Amino acid sequence: MNMIEVENLIKKYEAFTAVDGVSFYLEQGELFGLLGPNGAGKTTTINMLTGLAQVTSGSAMVAGLPYPKGLKPAQRLIGVVPDESNLYEELNGFDNLCFCAALYGMAKKKREQKAGDLLEQFNLTEAGDRPFKAYSKGMKRKLTIAAGIIHDPQILFLDEPTTGIDVASARQIRALIKERHGQGTTILLTTHYIEEAERLCQRIAFLVKGKIVRCGNLGELMQEVQQEHIVQMTLSETPGNFLEKMSQAFPELQIKALGGNSLRCLSSKAVNVTPLIVFLDQLGLSVFEAKIIQPTLEDVFVKVTGIGLDQLKQEKAGGGKGGGKG
């Protein structure tokens, strides 16, 4: 059974198209990832599916209920963790959770019990009586997630859940996502962290400029680079001064400079390292290390989208109407 179905979904803001003909589905209990740079349309997609933005055209179904007719009853079955917190700054952690639970019609005794349990689960018990504005970024993120799951939703939308927080909090949040998934929750996760998508998601869609350019499980996506051979070398100098000469001498290789004194050689055939070392030695350069690199999802993403990893990893800096959202 598909819990979410999206067909040719489009969102326009005047002349700007934020989401451009997106189609995908989520099976019941699946953890599906939308991976792409900031501004790709990830947040806009979630906003349409959760009723925070109107659909320009296309169709969607959430929890078996068609959009927009079934939006209201579907909202009781979903949990939403937005990219920016929607909790109240002046309320403390406990009261924020109780307020969110009350919106879903939970009885006072039950919501207070649930709020206490979630504060303990997220290691926020001691901070439960402190105002939300006094929380660190990691604590705010954890409480926002707790608020999104307090009613035990069947479907959970997570928009960039680990962006801008410390490593320890990000690790805990990923563990909690795995736990919810293990309990059968259907999860739609957006992220611009490749390793996060690779670690958590059963299927991944690459979203770029409002379009899905590739979608599949890790094995299917990796087929893009299965025939590639990569050798990474660390040298005594930065490769900028001799990269052109090297590329001319070995036209069958794609040679790219990395950070520092490293470079990568890519080929559709196995790379013989010896001629490379001899050539560099003739230029007066020493090779400190040469190793075979197994292609990763990062290589797939760069190859398919043409987007460099530096651009992908840029943190969200905010933006204008529609265009600045992920």
Side-chain angles (χ1 to χ4, degrees):
M1 174 184 174
N2 290 339
M3 294 296 283
I4 297 176
E5 291 184 5
V6 174
E7 185 67 33
N8 197 31
L9 205 62
I10 295 174
K11 177 61 179 177
K12 293 185 176 181
Y13 295 96
E14 298 176 354
F16 175 72
T17 303
V19 176
D20 192 2
V22 163
S23 300
F24 61 87
Y25 66 91
L26 273 73
E27 295 179 353
Q28 185 172 10
E30 184 177 19
L31 205 171
F32 181 85
L34 285 177
L35 173 64
N38 293 320
K42 304 188 300 295
T43 294
T44 304
T45 299
I46 280 185
N47 286 347
M48 285 190 286
L49 294 178
T50 57
L52 296 177
Q54 289 187 339
V55 173
T56 302
S57 63
S59 62
M61 183 183 71
V62 178
L65 300 167
Y67 181 99
K69 184 178 180 180
L71 186 59
K72 278 294 182 182
Q75 285 177 335
R76 290 192 168 273
L77 305 175
I78 66 177
V80 184
V81 179
D83 59 334
E84 297 179 4
S85 176
N86 57 353
L87 300 183
Y88 292 94
E89 293 283 316
E90 301 301 326
L91 292 181
N92 64 33
F94 180 80
D95 288 341
N96 260 303
L97 292 181
C98 287
F99 177 77
C100 291
L103 294 177
Y104 288 100
M106 292 176 63
K108 182 179 180 181
K109 184 176 181 180
K110 183 177 179 181
R111 63 178 180 250
E112 289 181 349
Q113 177 66 47
K114 189 73 173 180
D117 291 344
L118 285 171
L119 287 173
E120 182 177 358
Q121 181 182 1
F122 282 78
N123 297 326
L124 293 173
T125 301
E126 293 183 3
D129 59 355
R130 283 156 45 188
F132 184 68
K133 64 182 179 181
Y135 282 25
S136 67
K137 286 184 178 180
M139 293 166 66
K140 285 184 175 181
R141 204 72 190 122
K142 288 191 284 187
L143 193 74
T144 304
I145 293 174
I149 65 174
I150 195 165
H151 58 301
D152 292 320
Q154 296 180 25
I155 302 173
L156 181 61
F157 294 90
L158 293 168
D159 195 3
E160 301 276 6
T162 62
T163 296
I165 62 175
D166 61 277
V167 173
S169 294
R171 186 180 296 116
Q172 185 182 10
I173 286 171
R174 290 184 184 118
L176 289 164
I177 293 171
K178 286 184 178 180
E179 181 181 342
R180 296 298 302 189
H181 179 227
Q183 293 171 355
T185 305
T186 304
I187 301 175
L188 175 57
L189 166 75
T190 78
T191 183
H192 61 268
Y193 297 138
I194 288 180
E195 65 277 11
E196 184 166 82
E198 187 173 4
R199 188 180 307 171
L200 294 175
C201 301
Q202 294 170 288
R203 286 190 303 121
I204 301 167
F206 295 165
L207 187 64
V208 179
K209 295 182 179 179
K211 294 179 178 288
I212 289 180
V213 297
R214 194 72 85 252
C215 181
N217 60 41
L218 187 59
E220 291 167 340
L221 294 173
M222 289 300 294
Q223 289 179 3
E224 294 280 343
V225 292
Q226 279 183 341
Q227 302 305 315
E228 287 191 348
H229 299 265
I230 305 173
V231 171
Q232 184 167 313
M233 308 178 78
T234 304
L235 312 174
S236 56
E237 293 182 17
T238 58
N241 297 328
F242 58 86
L243 197 62
E244 185 175 350
K245 290 183 179 180
M246 192 173 179
S247 296
Q248 291 173 351
F250 301 94
E252 73 279 10
L253 302 179
Q254 296 181 45
I255 304 175
K256 299 179 180 180
L258 305 178
N261 293 5
S262 298
L263 60 80
R264 275 192 177 187
C265 302
L266 293 84
S267 174
S268 59
K269 299 179 180 179
V271 179
N272 186 350
V273 177
T274 303
L276 296 173
I277 295 175
V278 171
F279 177 83
L280 293 168
D281 183 66
Q282 290 172 348
L283 295 178
L285 299 166
S286 299
V287 178
F288 295 146
E289 183 182 39
K291 58 183 179 181
I292 297 173
I293 302 294
Q294 295 299 323
T296 66
L297 189 61
E298 289 185 357
D299 299 305
V300 179
F301 185 85
V302 172
K303 181 177 181 180
V304 168
T305 67
I307 294 175
L309 298 183
D310 290 342
Q311 180 183 348
L312 180 66
K313 293 178 181 178
Q314 286 177 355
E315 298 293 343
K316 187 170 295 184
K321 185 178 180 182
K325 288 292 184 183

